[in-house]
Amino acid sequence: MPIPVLICDDSALARKQMARTLPKEWDVDVTFANNGAEGIEAIRAGKGEVVFLDLNMPVMDGYEVLQTIQQEDLPALVIVVSGDIQIKAHERVKALGALDFIQKPVSADAISNILQEYGILTIALGDEVADSPMIEVDLRDACQEIANVAMGRAADLLAKLLDVFVLLPIPNVNVLEVSELTMTLKATEEHSKISALCQGFIGAGVAGEALLLFHDSSFKDMAKLMGLENPEDQNTEMEVMIDTGNVLIGAFLNGISEQLHMKFSQGHPVVLGRHCTVNDLIHDNSEKWSRTLAMEINYRIEHHDIQCDLLLLFTEDSLPTLNYKLGYLLD
């Protein structure tokens, strides 16, 4: 009898990749859920004896799903599959009853090894195992999942350097005009003062700029975490912004390059503005950007007043190459 397997992830690409990596010989009946709330309903309906669970999702995230499974004593063996590879994320999901943790992007070997380790890989004898349902994936969804994995790499590096837990959002990905840039910065309030750092990057057929928007209220706490003296000194603020940019931008670009199998060269960081608003920043630099693919991630550090936005702006000329590279992930 097929095992009811639930794949719960808000990314269609991630669901497709997960379904493709399940062992072909495994006798399963696969159900998909787009968020944690749908996932809980599926588990309650008996469609999730084994659950592959993402952490960053809308409506109900993976942590809330695990809490609900514990509270209601639902019969589900949960394997977390996430781009958030922070050690503290591993510890928290294990404490909430997760069987194990696999980092994105998933591999068939990692899945098979875990299923065999816990004795839940059963093989259908004498019967053909049904193919997984077809999943339609659009390019924007693919870009969002690429950003999600890269975001987790950057957060993990920052968490290790500062011994903190970085709270991760769902990445915001859009193709837009420069006039719409301020609208994408949902986490940045209009009255907030920010300082901004810009770093160009280029690869084979892909170029753009990474912007780090550092909330002015974050400087003092970040300087203390970094062990810097005189946290309110202007030179200290510059050091904080540049060091944070080096960590987040470098790790994020490395995360993208690994997934798309391409290398990026990075330029020197340039300060775009100090203690200004997002509107002022975009207005003063509007000639630098036209139509662009924008990836926005808002990083926050738990128990600290620290918030910064990482915004990757790919040039319009980069879109054909990105589409070509992403096409391999969609096949």
Side-chain angles (χ1 to χ4, degrees), residues 298-325:
N298 174 249
Y299 288 96
R300 292 183 297 123
I301 294 181
E302 188 177 55
H303 306 314
H304 293 276
D305 184 19
I306 297 174
Q307 182 172 324
C308 59
D309 294 280
L310 179 62
L311 188 65
L312 257 68
L313 304 175
F314 294 87
T315 63
E316 186 173 5
D317 293 340
S318 301
L319 297 183
T321 301
L322 285 172
N323 286 342
Y324 176 76
K325 290 282 188 179

Side-chain angles (χ1 to χ4, degrees), residues 100-308:
D100 216 319
F101 187 106
I102 301 175
Q103 74 176 53
K104 292 182 175 182
V106 293
S107 71
D109 287 343
I111 296 297
S112 181
N113 289 340
I114 283 181
L115 294 176
Q116 291 182 51
E117 180 181 349
Y118 291 102
I120 52 181
L121 177 56
T122 57
I123 299 174
L125 300 175
D127 296 318
E128 280 194 25
V129 179
D131 291 332
S132 297
M134 291 296 292
I135 303 173
E136 293 296 327
V137 184
D138 61 34
L139 289 171
R140 181 183 173 280
D141 180 276
C143 284
Q144 183 164 310
E145 182 60 14
I146 290 290
N148 181 54
V149 172
M151 171 186 72
R153 299 286 193 277
D156 181 53
L157 181 55
L158 189 65
K160 287 176 178 175
L161 290 173
L162 302 179
D163 190 24
V164 295
F165 184 68
V166 181
L167 301 169
L168 297 179
I170 298 169
N172 185 34
V173 178
N174 286 293
V175 176
L176 40 75
E177 305 292 334
V178 65
S179 59
E180 301 172 290
L181 272 178
T182 53
M183 296 172 60
T184 72
L185 297 171
K186 301 181 186 301
T188 306
E189 299 178 15
E190 289 185 8
H191 63 269
S192 295
K193 291 291 185 178
I194 62 166
S195 295
L197 190 74
C198 177
Q199 191 166 14
F201 59 88
I202 189 168
V206 176
E209 291 185 311
L211 275 66
L212 180 72
L213 309 182
F214 208 93
H215 293 230
D216 284 359
S217 58
S218 305
F219 278 118
K220 189 174 182 179
D221 257 15
M222 185 63 94
K224 289 181 179 178
L225 281 177
M226 290 180 171
L228 300 175
E229 297 180 356
N230 303 318
E232 297 180 2
D233 182 75
Q234 287 195 355
N235 291 330
T236 302
E237 289 184 354
M238 285 294 297
E239 186 175 353
V240 165
M241 190 162 59
I242 290 174
D243 286 351
T244 306
N246 285 337
V247 171
L248 293 181
I249 294 172
F252 194 95
L253 287 174
N254 284 338
I256 291 178
S257 67
E258 288 175 11
Q259 295 174 83
L260 299 183
H261 304 291
M262 62 188 305
K263 296 291 185 182
F264 290 116
S265 297
Q266 295 172 230
H268 294 292
V270 176
V271 175
L272 286 185
R274 297 291 308 279
H275 312 300
C276 60
T277 66
V278 171
N279 284 333
D280 291 337
L281 177 72
I282 300 301
H283 178 268
D284 292 343
N285 293 275
S286 60
E287 293 182 0
K288 294 165 61 74
W289 307 303
S290 54
R291 188 169 181 266
T292 181
L293 170 69
M295 296 180 176
E296 183 213 349
I297 298 93
N298 174 249
Y299 288 96
R300 292 183 297 123
I301 294 181
E302 188 177 55
H303 306 314
H304 293 276
D305 184 19
I306 297 174
Q307 182 172 324
C308 59

Side-chain angles (χ1 to χ4, degrees), residues 53-94:
L53 179 69
D54 186 28
L55 291 180
N56 295 329
M57 294 182 292
V59 186
M60 177 186 282
D61 65 23
Y63 295 105
E64 293 171 311
V65 170
L66 288 167
Q67 289 171 346
T68 302
I69 290 172
Q70 273 194 339
Q71 290 167 358
E72 299 184 15
D73 196 22
L74 297 175
L77 299 174
V78 181
I79 298 171
V80 170
V81 183
S82 176
D84 185 355
I85 57 175
Q86 297 177 79
I87 295 298
K88 290 185 179 180
H90 290 220
E91 294 171 350
R92 291 182 184 193
V93 298
K94 284 292 191 74

Side-chain angles (χ1 to χ4, degrees), residues 35-47:
N35 57 60
E38 290 183 9
I40 286 295
E41 290 305 313
I43 294 170
R44 288 170 177 157
K47 298 179 180 179

